[in-house]
């Protein structure tokens, strides 16, 4: 299950999806909106995607993880639109026979998402808003 | 030939448009299309920005040659997660 | 929240407990009963604890994690009694501003649990049962 | 003086008892208590087993001296998780 959605993400549904009689470990990763970033008071994050390609890239990450580690099942759901403080913007869940593989695949997935999946976040903070970008060495001020 | 261009995030805001159809010369590359779009929408010229390029939902290099009806997306720095 | 319980563990309750406006990442670790171990067909695991000391050791692990990594909140709940295939025997949840700390503290906690917390599992498999022990280099047959 | 002993898991099954009170000599160590218990319950003599020792819910060494009313637990290889 690799998708983007405008709805709140249901952690239980994802854990149920990856639960497997062969699995001894399930590692979810939940990315949440933090109330501060680089000294700014964050009000919310607002996510936008190129949805068809984002889902394709998320599935590609799942395929890559399966070739790298002996995992049972994996799911990634990324939320779009405004995500309030404390809410989940992304949930990755991995099940595996052993915890090493589950931790490694989870970690891999979140790093890959931040590198290659066409999803963008705009940070809405007290006094303004800014598109956050990690592929550029430019100061944020140059981007907006 | 014609290609379809979609803008997202910062580029969508700067172009003021999310989706457009563009006539390009046979054999044009992604990079050539980008330079033409920057003439049409001067605000797309963001100093120092590093873009990735997708054609039909696959990443391609800037020298990739376009075909009729391709869907082309210019991908500003991603920041999901 | 550091406890042992005879009831199924409620993941949502634990995630809600560690949710924090300062947190950008929540990493739960869920240990589940696997249907096989060392070639045996596992029917269930049956956990027993020295409960007062187990809870004290779980809290100690939480304290240690807080001194090692900048985490927000942590909770560990370990289930006792029979745990069926696919069910959770232990859930660790950690929230932190950044994912590095959340992953590291989660990993640390599960490794420590397996080393120092007075909880024991009996594996009930097709054809017998055995207490599983990791502090000893002896073959299982010597232990039972 | 008297101490309270609790057995868990494999040791509980082998001793056939979960909880007992034991009279020990003043100044006895944890190790001495263990050797006495092995005489009372010969099945506690598990070849090759490595035990940890807890007094009043804290890990102690085998040479730890007991006090009256201590709660003593012999901890076989743990296997939580």
């Amino acid at each position: 299950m690799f998708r983007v959605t405008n709805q709140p993400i249901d952690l239980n549904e994802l854990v149920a999806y990856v639960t497997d009689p062969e699995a001894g470990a399930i590692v979810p990763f939940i990315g949440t909106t933090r109330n501060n970033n680089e000294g700014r008071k964050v009000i919310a994050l607002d996510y936008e995607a190129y949805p068809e390609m984002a889902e394709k890239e998320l599935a590609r990450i799942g395929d890559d993880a399966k070739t790298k580690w002996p995992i049972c099942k994996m799911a990634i759901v990324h939320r779009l639109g405004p995500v309030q403080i404390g809410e989940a913007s992304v949930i990755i869940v991995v099940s595996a026979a052993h915890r090493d593989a589950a931790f490694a695949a989870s970690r891999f997935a979140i790093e890959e998402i931040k590198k290659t999946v066409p999803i963008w976040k705009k940070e809405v903070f007290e006094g303004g808003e800014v598109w956050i970008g990690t592929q550029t060495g430019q100061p944020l001020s140059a981007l907006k | 030939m014609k290609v379809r261009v979609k803008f997202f995030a910062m580029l969508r805001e700067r172009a003021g448009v999310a989706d457009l159809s563009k006539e390009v010369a046979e054999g044009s590359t992604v990079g050539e299309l980008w330079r033409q779009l920057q003439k049409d929408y001067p605000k797309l010229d963001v100093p120092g920005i590093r873009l990735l390029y997708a054609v039909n939902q696959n990443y391609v290099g800037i020298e990739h040659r376009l075909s009729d009806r391709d869907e082309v997306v210019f991908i500003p720095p991603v920041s999901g997660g």
Side-chain angles (χ1 to χ4, degrees), chain A residues 38-91:
Chain A
E38 299 182 5
R40 299 183 295 270
K41 282 190 94 169
V42 175
I43 296 161
L45 298 177
D46 196 351
Y47 287 89
E48 178 172 339
Y50 176 15
E52 306 90 329
M53 185 171 169
E55 292 189 343
K56 198 170 158 178
E57 275 294 307
L58 292 176
R60 192 271 308 161
I61 291 170
D63 289 342
D64 279 8
K66 276 193 184 163
T67 66
K68 285 174 186 282
W69 296 281
I71 62 178
C72 297
K73 295 202 186 99
M74 187 162 181
I76 308 177
V77 178
H78 203 298
R79 190 167 166 190
L80 304 179
V83 181
Q84 307 302 320
I85 305 297
E87 287 189 335
S89 52
V90 62
I91 300 186

Short mmCIF file of all heavy atoms in Angstrom, two decimals, chain A residues 38-91:
data_model
loop_
_atom_site.label_atom_id
_atom_site.label_comp_id
_atom_site.label_asym_id
_atom_site.label_seq_id
_atom_site.Cartn_x
_atom_site.Cartn_y
_atom_site.Cartn_z
N GLU A 38 13.98 25.83 12.77
CA GLU A 38 15.00 26.87 12.55
C GLU A 38 14.61 28.20 13.20
O GLU A 38 14.75 29.25 12.58
CB GLU A 38 15.25 27.03 11.05
CG GLU A 38 15.76 25.73 10.43
CD GLU A 38 16.08 25.86 8.94
OE1 GLU A 38 15.99 26.98 8.42
OE2 GLU A 38 16.41 24.84 8.32
N GLY A 39 14.12 28.11 14.41
CA GLY A 39 13.80 29.32 15.16
C GLY A 39 12.45 29.94 14.86
O GLY A 39 12.07 30.92 15.48
N ARG A 40 11.72 29.36 13.88
CA ARG A 40 10.40 29.92 13.55
C ARG A 40 9.31 29.15 14.30
O ARG A 40 9.42 27.94 14.50
CB ARG A 40 10.14 29.81 12.05
CG ARG A 40 11.14 30.58 11.21
CD ARG A 40 10.79 30.51 9.72
NE ARG A 40 10.90 29.16 9.18
CZ ARG A 40 12.01 28.64 8.64
NH1 ARG A 40 13.11 29.35 8.58
NH2 ARG A 40 12.00 27.41 8.17
N LYS A 41 8.27 29.88 14.71
CA LYS A 41 7.12 29.22 15.34
C LYS A 41 6.20 28.71 14.24
O LYS A 41 5.55 29.49 13.54
CB LYS A 41 6.34 30.21 16.23
CG LYS A 41 7.02 30.43 17.58
CD LYS A 41 6.12 31.20 18.53
CE LYS A 41 5.32 30.25 19.43
NZ LYS A 41 4.64 31.02 20.53
N VAL A 42 6.15 27.39 14.09
CA VAL A 42 5.38 26.79 13.00
C VAL A 42 3.92 26.67 13.40
O VAL A 42 3.59 26.25 14.50
CB VAL A 42 5.96 25.40 12.66
CG1 VAL A 42 5.10 24.71 11.60
CG2 VAL A 42 7.40 25.54 12.19
N ILE A 43 3.03 27.06 12.47
CA ILE A 43 1.59 26.95 12.70
C ILE A 43 1.06 25.65 12.10
O ILE A 43 0.28 24.94 12.70
CB ILE A 43 0.86 28.18 12.11
CG1 ILE A 43 1.32 29.45 12.86
CG2 ILE A 43 -0.65 28.01 12.19
CD1 ILE A 43 1.06 30.73 12.11
N ALA A 44 1.50 25.35 10.89
CA ALA A 44 1.10 24.10 10.23
C ALA A 44 2.05 23.87 9.06
O ALA A 44 2.81 24.77 8.67
CB ALA A 44 -0.34 24.18 9.73
N LEU A 45 2.02 22.65 8.54
CA LEU A 45 2.70 22.36 7.27
C LEU A 45 1.61 22.08 6.24
O LEU A 45 0.54 21.57 6.57
CB LEU A 45 3.62 21.15 7.43
CG LEU A 45 4.74 21.31 8.45
CD1 LEU A 45 5.54 20.02 8.58
CD2 LEU A 45 5.67 22.46 8.06
N ASP A 46 1.90 22.44 5.00
CA ASP A 46 0.91 22.25 3.94
C ASP A 46 1.63 21.49 2.82
O ASP A 46 2.58 22.00 2.23
CB ASP A 46 0.41 23.61 3.47
CG ASP A 46 -0.86 23.51 2.67
OD1 ASP A 46 -1.27 22.37 2.33
OD2 ASP A 46 -1.46 24.56 2.35
N TYR A 47 1.18 20.25 2.58
CA TYR A 47 1.89 19.38 1.63
C TYR A 47 1.19 19.34 0.28
O TYR A 47 -0.05 19.30 0.20
CB TYR A 47 1.97 17.96 2.18
CG TYR A 47 2.94 17.79 3.32
CD1 TYR A 47 2.55 17.99 4.63
CD2 TYR A 47 4.26 17.45 3.07
CE1 TYR A 47 3.44 17.83 5.67
CE2 TYR A 47 5.16 17.29 4.10
CZ TYR A 47 4.75 17.49 5.41
OH TYR A 47 5.64 17.34 6.43
N GLU A 48 1.99 19.32 -0.76
CA GLU A 48 1.49 19.21 -2.13
C GLU A 48 2.30 18.11 -2.81
O GLU A 48 3.48 17.93 -2.52
CB GLU A 48 1.72 20.55 -2.83
CG GLU A 48 1.28 20.59 -4.28
CD GLU A 48 1.35 22.00 -4.88
OE1 GLU A 48 1.35 22.99 -4.12
OE2 GLU A 48 1.43 22.09 -6.12
N ALA A 49 1.67 17.37 -3.72
CA ALA A 49 2.39 16.30 -4.42
C ALA A 49 2.07 16.33 -5.90
O ALA A 49 1.06 16.90 -6.33
CB ALA A 49 1.99 14.94 -3.86
N TYR A 50 2.94 15.70 -6.64
CA TYR A 50 2.65 15.27 -8.00
C TYR A 50 2.14 13.84 -7.78
O TYR A 50 2.94 12.90 -7.68
CB TYR A 50 3.95 15.33 -8.79
CG TYR A 50 3.94 14.84 -10.22
CD1 TYR A 50 2.76 14.62 -10.94
CD2 TYR A 50 5.15 14.62 -10.87
CE1 TYR A 50 2.79 14.20 -12.26
CE2 TYR A 50 5.20 14.19 -12.19
CZ TYR A 50 4.01 13.97 -12.88
OH TYR A 50 4.05 13.54 -14.18
N PRO A 51 0.83 13.67 -7.61
CA PRO A 51 0.34 12.47 -6.94
C PRO A 51 0.65 11.15 -7.65
O PRO A 51 1.09 10.20 -7.00
CB PRO A 51 -1.17 12.69 -6.84
CG PRO A 51 -1.50 13.92 -7.60
CD PRO A 51 -0.23 14.64 -7.95
N GLU A 52 0.44 11.09 -8.97
CA GLU A 52 0.67 9.81 -9.67
C GLU A 52 2.14 9.39 -9.53
O GLU A 52 2.45 8.24 -9.26
CB GLU A 52 0.33 9.93 -11.16
CG GLU A 52 -1.07 10.44 -11.45
CD GLU A 52 -1.12 11.97 -11.58
OE1 GLU A 52 -0.32 12.67 -10.91
OE2 GLU A 52 -1.97 12.45 -12.35
N MET A 53 3.04 10.37 -9.71
CA MET A 53 4.46 10.01 -9.63
C MET A 53 4.89 9.77 -8.19
O MET A 53 5.75 8.91 -7.93
CB MET A 53 5.32 11.09 -10.27
CG MET A 53 6.78 10.69 -10.34
SD MET A 53 7.76 11.87 -11.32
CE MET A 53 9.43 11.29 -10.89
N ALA A 54 4.29 10.49 -7.25
CA ALA A 54 4.64 10.28 -5.85
C ALA A 54 4.31 8.84 -5.44
O ALA A 54 5.12 8.15 -4.81
CB ALA A 54 3.89 11.26 -4.95
N GLU A 55 3.15 8.35 -5.83
CA GLU A 55 2.77 6.98 -5.46
C GLU A 55 3.67 5.96 -6.15
O GLU A 55 4.04 4.93 -5.57
CB GLU A 55 1.30 6.74 -5.80
CG GLU A 55 0.40 7.58 -4.89
CD GLU A 55 -1.08 7.26 -4.99
OE1 GLU A 55 -1.50 6.63 -5.99
OE2 GLU A 55 -1.83 7.64 -4.06
N LYS A 56 4.06 6.27 -7.37
CA LYS A 56 4.97 5.38 -8.10
C LYS A 56 6.33 5.33 -7.39
O LYS A 56 6.94 4.26 -7.25
CB LYS A 56 5.13 5.96 -9.51
CG LYS A 56 5.66 5.03 -10.54
CD LYS A 56 5.53 5.69 -11.92
CE LYS A 56 6.51 5.06 -12.88
NZ LYS A 56 6.37 5.64 -14.24
N GLU A 57 6.82 6.48 -6.96
CA GLU A 57 8.11 6.52 -6.25
C GLU A 57 8.03 5.83 -4.89
O GLU A 57 8.97 5.16 -4.46
CB GLU A 57 8.56 7.97 -6.05
CG GLU A 57 9.31 8.54 -7.24
CD GLU A 57 10.65 7.85 -7.47
OE1 GLU A 57 11.46 7.74 -6.54
OE2 GLU A 57 10.86 7.38 -8.61
N LEU A 58 6.92 5.99 -4.20
CA LEU A 58 6.77 5.31 -2.91
C LEU A 58 6.80 3.79 -3.12
O LEU A 58 7.45 3.06 -2.36
CB LEU A 58 5.45 5.72 -2.23
CG LEU A 58 5.36 7.18 -1.75
CD1 LEU A 58 3.96 7.46 -1.19
CD2 LEU A 58 6.42 7.51 -0.71
N ALA A 59 6.14 3.33 -4.17
CA ALA A 59 6.16 1.89 -4.46
C ALA A 59 7.56 1.42 -4.84
O ALA A 59 7.99 0.33 -4.47
CB ALA A 59 5.16 1.57 -5.58
N ARG A 60 8.29 2.28 -5.54
CA ARG A 60 9.67 1.95 -5.92
C ARG A 60 10.53 1.82 -4.66
O ARG A 60 11.38 0.92 -4.56
CB ARG A 60 10.21 3.07 -6.84
CG ARG A 60 11.51 2.76 -7.55
CD ARG A 60 12.76 3.16 -6.77
NE ARG A 60 12.72 4.55 -6.31
CZ ARG A 60 13.49 5.00 -5.34
NH1 ARG A 60 14.34 4.20 -4.68
NH2 ARG A 60 13.39 6.27 -4.95
N ILE A 61 10.31 2.68 -3.69
CA ILE A 61 11.05 2.59 -2.43
C ILE A 61 10.74 1.25 -1.75
O ILE A 61 11.64 0.57 -1.24
CB ILE A 61 10.69 3.78 -1.51
CG1 ILE A 61 11.26 5.07 -2.09
CG2 ILE A 61 11.19 3.54 -0.08
CD1 ILE A 61 10.79 6.35 -1.39
N GLY A 62 9.47 0.86 -1.77
CA GLY A 62 9.08 -0.44 -1.20
C GLY A 62 9.78 -1.60 -1.91
O GLY A 62 10.29 -2.52 -1.27
N ASP A 63 9.83 -1.53 -3.24
CA ASP A 63 10.51 -2.59 -4.00
C ASP A 63 12.00 -2.63 -3.67
O ASP A 63 12.58 -3.70 -3.47
CB ASP A 63 10.34 -2.34 -5.51
CG ASP A 63 8.92 -2.59 -5.98
OD1 ASP A 63 8.16 -3.26 -5.25
OD2 ASP A 63 8.56 -2.12 -7.07
N ASP A 64 12.61 -1.46 -3.61
CA ASP A 64 14.04 -1.40 -3.29
C ASP A 64 14.30 -1.97 -1.90
O ASP A 64 15.27 -2.72 -1.69
CB ASP A 64 14.55 0.05 -3.33
CG ASP A 64 14.84 0.51 -4.75
OD1 ASP A 64 14.51 -0.22 -5.69
OD2 ASP A 64 15.39 1.62 -4.89
N ALA A 65 13.46 -1.61 -0.94
CA ALA A 65 13.64 -2.10 0.43
C ALA A 65 13.57 -3.63 0.44
O ALA A 65 14.35 -4.29 1.14
CB ALA A 65 12.60 -1.50 1.36
N LYS A 66 12.64 -4.17 -0.33
CA LYS A 66 12.50 -5.64 -0.35
C LYS A 66 13.70 -6.34 -0.96
O LYS A 66 14.00 -7.48 -0.60
CB LYS A 66 11.24 -6.03 -1.12
CG LYS A 66 10.03 -5.98 -0.22
CD LYS A 66 8.81 -6.65 -0.79
CE LYS A 66 7.65 -6.42 0.18
NZ LYS A 66 6.35 -6.66 -0.40
N THR A 67 14.40 -5.69 -1.87
CA THR A 67 15.60 -6.32 -2.43
C THR A 67 16.78 -6.17 -1.46
O THR A 67 17.70 -6.97 -1.50
CB THR A 67 15.99 -5.74 -3.80
OG1 THR A 67 16.39 -4.38 -3.63
CG2 THR A 67 14.83 -5.81 -4.78
N LYS A 68 16.73 -5.16 -0.60
CA LYS A 68 17.87 -4.91 0.29
C LYS A 68 17.78 -5.68 1.60
O LYS A 68 18.81 -6.04 2.17
CB LYS A 68 17.95 -3.41 0.62
CG LYS A 68 18.48 -2.54 -0.52
CD LYS A 68 18.38 -1.06 -0.13
CE LYS A 68 18.74 -0.13 -1.25
NZ LYS A 68 20.20 0.00 -1.46
N TRP A 69 16.57 -5.87 2.12
CA TRP A 69 16.42 -6.53 3.42
C TRP A 69 15.31 -7.57 3.37
O TRP A 69 14.34 -7.40 2.62
CB TRP A 69 16.08 -5.49 4.50
CG TRP A 69 17.16 -4.50 4.73
CD1 TRP A 69 18.30 -4.68 5.45
CD2 TRP A 69 17.23 -3.16 4.21
NE1 TRP A 69 19.06 -3.53 5.42
CE2 TRP A 69 18.43 -2.60 4.66
CE3 TRP A 69 16.38 -2.39 3.40
CZ2 TRP A 69 18.82 -1.30 4.34
CZ3 TRP A 69 16.77 -1.11 3.08
CH2 TRP A 69 17.96 -0.56 3.54
N PRO A 70 15.42 -8.61 4.20
CA PRO A 70 14.36 -9.64 4.23
C PRO A 70 13.17 -9.16 5.05
O PRO A 70 13.06 -9.47 6.23
CB PRO A 70 15.07 -10.83 4.89
CG PRO A 70 16.13 -10.22 5.75
CD PRO A 70 16.55 -8.94 5.08
N ILE A 71 12.31 -8.39 4.41
CA ILE A 71 11.12 -7.89 5.10
C ILE A 71 9.89 -8.65 4.62
O ILE A 71 9.90 -9.28 3.56
CB ILE A 71 10.94 -6.37 4.92
CG1 ILE A 71 10.75 -6.00 3.45
CG2 ILE A 71 12.14 -5.63 5.50
CD1 ILE A 71 10.53 -4.51 3.22
N CYS A 72 8.85 -8.62 5.44
CA CYS A 72 7.59 -9.28 5.06
C CYS A 72 6.74 -8.34 4.23
O CYS A 72 6.52 -8.57 3.05
CB CYS A 72 6.83 -9.71 6.31
SG CYS A 72 7.67 -10.93 7.33
N LYS A 73 6.25 -7.26 4.85
CA LYS A 73 5.36 -6.34 4.15
C LYS A 73 5.74 -4.91 4.51
O LYS A 73 6.36 -4.64 5.54
CB LYS A 73 3.91 -6.56 4.57
CG LYS A 73 3.34 -7.92 4.19
CD LYS A 73 1.82 -7.89 4.12
CE LYS A 73 1.23 -9.27 3.89
NZ LYS A 73 0.75 -9.88 5.16
N MET A 74 5.33 -4.00 3.62
CA MET A 74 5.64 -2.59 3.83
C MET A 74 4.49 -1.75 3.31
O MET A 74 3.84 -2.13 2.33
CB MET A 74 6.93 -2.25 3.08
CG MET A 74 7.47 -0.88 3.35
SD MET A 74 9.22 -0.84 2.83
CE MET A 74 9.64 0.83 3.27
N ALA A 75 4.25 -0.63 3.94
CA ALA A 75 3.25 0.32 3.45
C ALA A 75 3.74 1.73 3.77
O ALA A 75 4.41 1.95 4.78
CB ALA A 75 1.90 0.08 4.12
N ILE A 76 3.45 2.64 2.86
CA ILE A 76 3.79 4.05 3.09
C ILE A 76 2.59 4.88 2.65
O ILE A 76 2.11 4.74 1.53
CB ILE A 76 5.02 4.51 2.27
CG1 ILE A 76 6.22 3.58 2.46
CG2 ILE A 76 5.38 5.95 2.64
CD1 ILE A 76 7.44 3.97 1.62
N VAL A 77 2.13 5.75 3.55
CA VAL A 77 1.07 6.68 3.19
C VAL A 77 1.54 8.08 3.56
O VAL A 77 2.00 8.31 4.69
CB VAL A 77 -0.26 6.35 3.90
CG1 VAL A 77 -1.32 7.38 3.54
CG2 VAL A 77 -0.73 4.95 3.51
N HIS A 78 1.44 8.99 2.61
CA HIS A 78 1.83 10.39 2.85
C HIS A 78 0.59 11.27 2.74
O HIS A 78 -0.17 11.15 1.79
CB HIS A 78 2.89 10.84 1.86
CG HIS A 78 3.70 12.00 2.36
ND1 HIS A 78 3.14 13.23 2.65
CD2 HIS A 78 5.02 12.10 2.64
CE1 HIS A 78 4.10 14.04 3.09
NE2 HIS A 78 5.24 13.39 3.10
N ARG A 79 0.41 12.11 3.71
CA ARG A 79 -0.74 12.99 3.70
C ARG A 79 -0.45 14.26 2.91
O ARG A 79 0.68 14.74 2.89
CB ARG A 79 -1.11 13.35 5.14
CG ARG A 79 -2.43 14.06 5.23
CD ARG A 79 -2.92 14.13 6.65
NE ARG A 79 -3.99 15.10 6.78
CZ ARG A 79 -4.49 15.51 7.92
NH1 ARG A 79 -3.99 15.02 9.06
NH2 ARG A 79 -5.47 16.38 7.96
N LEU A 80 -1.49 14.80 2.27
CA LEU A 80 -1.37 16.06 1.53
C LEU A 80 -2.31 17.09 2.15
O LEU A 80 -3.22 16.75 2.90
CB LEU A 80 -1.73 15.84 0.06
CG LEU A 80 -0.90 14.76 -0.65
CD1 LEU A 80 -1.37 14.61 -2.10
CD2 LEU A 80 0.59 15.08 -0.59
N GLY A 81 -2.07 18.35 1.80
CA GLY A 81 -2.87 19.44 2.37
C GLY A 81 -2.32 19.84 3.72
O GLY A 81 -1.22 19.44 4.10
N PRO A 82 -3.09 20.63 4.48
CA PRO A 82 -2.58 21.12 5.76
C PRO A 82 -2.50 20.02 6.80
O PRO A 82 -3.39 19.18 6.91
CB PRO A 82 -3.60 22.19 6.17
CG PRO A 82 -4.81 21.94 5.34
CD PRO A 82 -4.40 21.20 4.11
N VAL A 83 -1.41 20.00 7.53
CA VAL A 83 -1.20 19.03 8.61
C VAL A 83 -0.85 19.82 9.86
O VAL A 83 0.17 20.52 9.90
CB VAL A 83 -0.08 18.02 8.25
CG1 VAL A 83 0.10 17.01 9.38
CG2 VAL A 83 -0.39 17.31 6.93
N GLN A 84 -1.73 19.73 10.85
CA GLN A 84 -1.57 20.55 12.05
C GLN A 84 -0.48 19.98 12.98
O GLN A 84 -0.08 18.83 12.86
CB GLN A 84 -2.91 20.62 12.82
CG GLN A 84 -4.09 21.06 11.95
CD GLN A 84 -3.89 22.42 11.30
OE1 GLN A 84 -3.37 23.34 11.93
NE2 GLN A 84 -4.27 22.55 10.03
N ILE A 85 -0.07 20.80 13.93
CA ILE A 85 0.93 20.40 14.93
C ILE A 85 0.52 19.08 15.58
O ILE A 85 -0.62 18.93 16.02
CB ILE A 85 1.05 21.48 16.04
CG1 ILE A 85 1.37 22.86 15.46
CG2 ILE A 85 2.09 21.08 17.09
CD1 ILE A 85 2.67 22.96 14.75
N GLY A 86 1.44 18.14 15.64
CA GLY A 86 1.19 16.85 16.30
C GLY A 86 0.55 15.82 15.39
O GLY A 86 0.53 14.64 15.74
N GLU A 87 0.03 16.24 14.25
CA GLU A 87 -0.57 15.27 13.33
C GLU A 87 0.51 14.62 12.46
O GLU A 87 1.58 15.16 12.25
CB GLU A 87 -1.59 15.97 12.41
CG GLU A 87 -2.88 16.35 13.12
CD GLU A 87 -3.94 16.83 12.13
OE1 GLU A 87 -3.58 17.32 11.03
OE2 GLU A 87 -5.12 16.73 12.46
N ALA A 88 0.14 13.46 11.90
CA ALA A 88 1.09 12.71 11.07
C ALA A 88 1.04 13.17 9.62
O ALA A 88 -0.02 13.24 9.01
CB ALA A 88 0.76 11.22 11.13
N SER A 89 2.21 13.48 9.07
CA SER A 89 2.29 13.79 7.64
C SER A 89 2.63 12.54 6.84
O SER A 89 2.25 12.43 5.68
CB SER A 89 3.35 14.86 7.39
OG SER A 89 4.56 14.51 7.99
N VAL A 90 3.36 11.63 7.45
CA VAL A 90 3.72 10.40 6.74
C VAL A 90 3.81 9.26 7.74
O VAL A 90 4.24 9.46 8.88
CB VAL A 90 5.06 10.56 5.98
CG1 VAL A 90 6.21 10.84 6.94
CG2 VAL A 90 5.38 9.34 5.13
N ILE A 91 3.34 8.09 7.34
CA ILE A 91 3.55 6.89 8.15
C ILE A 91 4.10 5.80 7.25
O ILE A 91 3.56 5.50 6.18
CB ILE A 91 2.25 6.41 8.84
CG1 ILE A 91 1.71 7.50 9.77
CG2 ILE A 91 2.52 5.12 9.63
CD1 ILE A 91 0.50 7.08 10.62
#
